[in-house]
Amino acid sequence: MIYAITFNPALDISGKVDRLIPNEKCYVHHEIQTPGGNGINAGIIASRLNGNVLLSGFVGGNNGKMISRLLKKEKLKQNFITINGDTRINVTISEGNSHQQTRLSFAGPQILKNEWSQLLRIIEKAKPGKDLVLLGGSLPPGVSVLMVSSLVLSLSQKNVFCMVDMPGESLKKIIRSRPHFIKPNLQEFQDLTKTNVTSVKSVLGVAKDLNKFIPLISISSVEGGALLVNKKEAWFGKTPKISIHSTVGAGDSMVGAMAALLSKNPDTPLDDLLKLGLAASCATLTEPGLTLGSFQSIKSFEQKVRVRKIKDS
């Protein structure tokens, strides 16, 4: 089972405008409503790749009900905590043929102590050596980084495989609790390690130091590709040239694809992990708005992704 946890889900509303003009009314067309949040996006991709996924987190109000209804169409198992507050709305507007996007992300509802305790009871059911817990996205008011760090430490001590895909500021403190996997982009990695590394070689050198307490690290946006590193080896991969329609959910898709493989075999070869992860990212990048990559698209790109082992890693 993959427990895909989204602390701060959102009802994502996306649409297109011919041109975004400040101080003017801009008429939006092609409106789409989708369930949003890193954990939800990753869970959807993992499920499309035949992962056994349970979605959880906090939802409330009519927006929360809409998220649940939309997820039912994906036939995903869900066990969300119903909260007193209202689930937030996020807005993404794409402009004309340029596909440039304006994204508005709101803070989210206040989470109460008893609501947090209910979520912990769900996650505590994860079994060592059998289940995987994926924690994704920003934190709503009422959920502190310390609370999440304590959760990650508990999972680590129980030897439940824990993947963390959260913003850089949260990640800085959470890595002290020794999650099994993290996936920062290059900027987040630089902030995390207080370095200015940019090349594959320099990023790898710093990542190896992190490997002492985080077994598996993926760093995206490095020389136009991504690195995947453990204590023994490192791989670098690039996607084929594509027409990018939207960047929303691309990183989540990469994490979800890797989760699907790791949930079946924690010792999946790094080249297989990286190839499928990049293929999932690629599939989502070529979709418009907030649409995530399909199984067929991911499998098609998997044949085109090129990965190579980094020698002397």
Side-chain angles (χ1 to χ4, degrees):
M1 176 75 75
I2 299 169
Y3 290 75
I5 311 299
T6 307
F7 299 112
N8 201 11
L11 179 61
D12 282 341
I13 299 178
S14 66
K16 295 181 180 179
V17 296
D18 296 326
R19 188 181 173 196
L20 201 59
I21 306 172
N23 303 315
E24 293 288 340
K25 183 183 289 185
C26 302
Y27 290 94
V28 181
H29 50 91
H30 293 91
E31 178 186 332
I32 300 174
Q33 295 186 3
T34 55
N38 292 40
I40 288 175
N41 290 339
I44 290 173
I45 290 294
S47 178
R48 290 180 182 177
L49 291 168
N50 302 314
N52 182 21
V53 177
L54 175 70
L55 295 176
S56 190
F58 305 107
V59 295
N62 289 329
N63 293 336
K65 291 176 182 177
M66 176 61 77
I67 285 175
S68 292
R69 285 200 296 270
L70 291 169
L71 289 171
K72 283 180 182 177
K73 294 181 181 180
E74 285 276 343
K75 298 181 180 178
L76 279 159
K77 286 178 279 190
Q78 46 183 307
N79 189 7
F80 285 98
I81 306 303
T82 301
I83 61 173
N84 288 332
D86 293 326
T87 294
R88 61 185 178 147
I89 290 177
N90 286 344
V91 180
T92 300
I93 299 297
S94 300
E95 186 176 16
N97 295 325
S98 70
H99 302 298
Q100 289 188 332
Q101 292 179 319
T102 298
R103 300 167 65 181
L104 304 177
S105 183
F106 294 87
Q110 181 78 27
I111 304 301
L112 306 178
K113 288 184 178 179
N114 70 303
E115 295 165 347
W116 174 253
S117 297
Q118 291 177 62
L119 180 63
L120 290 184
R121 285 196 288 272
I122 291 173
I123 300 173
E124 285 169 358
K125 295 177 183 177
K127 299 179 180 66
K130 290 186 177 182
D131 298 327
L132 180 154
V133 175
L134 191 162
L135 307 176
S138 63
L139 300 180
V143 177
S144 68
V145 176
L146 182 61
M147 291 161 69
V148 178
S149 294
S150 178
L151 169 59
V152 172
L153 182 60
S154 173
L155 292 168
S156 177
Q157 290 173 341
K158 287 171 57 181
N159 201 31
V160 174
F161 197 100
C162 179
M163 304 177 72
V164 176
D165 182 23
M166 297 178 69
E169 284 303 314
S170 298
L171 198 57
K172 282 182 184 179
K173 298 177 182 178
I174 290 171
I175 61 170
R176 300 171 189 169
S177 298
R178 298 175 178 261
H180 292 81
F181 172 98
I182 60 172
K183 194 215 73 64
N185 60 34
L186 180 59
Q187 182 63 60
E188 289 170 332
F189 183 78
Q190 291 171 337
D191 294 342
L192 195 65
T193 58
K194 297 180 180 179
T195 64
N196 292 314
V197 291
T198 56
S199 67
V200 169
K201 184 177 180 180
S202 60
V203 170
L204 177 58
V206 178
K208 280 295 181 181
D209 288 334
L210 274 182
N211 272 144
K212 293 172 184 176
F213 51 97
I214 301 174
L216 191 57
I217 304 170
S218 177
I219 307 104
S220 59
S221 305
V222 181
E223 292 189 19
L227 270 168
L228 187 60
V229 188
N230 67 11
K231 292 180 180 178
K232 296 181 180 178
E233 57 183 315
W235 288 76
F236 177 73
K238 281 190 174 183
T239 61
K241 290 184 178 180
I242 57 172
S243 176
I244 297 175
H245 287 186
S246 172
T247 59
V248 179
D252 306 338
S253 297
M254 186 174 187
V255 173
M258 290 182 175
L261 288 181
L262 289 168
S263 67
K264 296 166 186 173
N265 178 14
D267 296 319
T268 298
L270 262 60
D271 54 330
D272 290 343
L273 278 176
L274 185 57
K275 187 175 288 188
L276 188 66
L278 284 170
S281 178
C282 209
T284 294
L285 286 167
T286 56
E287 294 287 349
L290 304 178
T291 305
L292 300 174
S294 66
F295 174 85
Q296 292 80 4
S297 180
I298 293 170
K299 285 300 180 180
S300 174
F301 279 116
E302 190 179 15
Q303 308 303 315
K304 302 171 185 175
V305 169
R306 294 290 176 262
V307 300
R308 61 180 174 88
K309 189 174 184 179
I310 308 298
K311 295 182 179 179
D312 301 322
S313 60

